[in-house]
Amino acid sequence: GEQEGDVVDDECPICFTPLEEEGMVVGVLVCSHAFHDSCLDMWVGQCHGKAIQPTCPMCRAEMVRCHHR
């Protein structure tokens, strides 16, 4: 198989489209997983709808946005 130098999973794990989509804001959580900001908002809304504390969809760490990129 072909080896790629740096394998960066640059797909949003929520919607499976590229993170660097034009016009999309990327939110990065303290656990260092990155998502589209709008997808995170949707996820948080779903969590609140089920009356559960929002956690990272990837690792279930406490959801704290540390920065945008």
Side-chain angles (χ1 to χ4, degrees):
E2 289 178 20
Q3 282 298 103
E4 292 193 23
D6 271 340
V7 181
V8 182
D9 59 287
D10 262 356
E11 250 184 18
C12 174
I14 297 177
C15 68
F16 303 109
T17 60
L19 278 174
E20 304 303 331
E21 238 9 39
E22 201 168 323
M24 293 296 257
V25 179
V26 175
V28 183
L29 305 180
V30 289
C31 55
S32 83
H33 289 119
F35 307 87
H36 291 129
D37 219 38
S38 53
C39 292
L40 280 177
D41 288 341
M42 183 184 69
W43 175 259
V44 168
Q46 287 176 356
C47 290
H48 285 158
K50 297 175 190 162
I52 55 176
Q53 185 69 30
T55 54
C56 173
M58 292 294 286
C59 67
R60 302 285 179 222
E62 186 182 354
M63 183 183 280
V64 181
R65 289 180 221 207
C66 59
H67 64 91
H68 293 96
R69 68 171 207 224

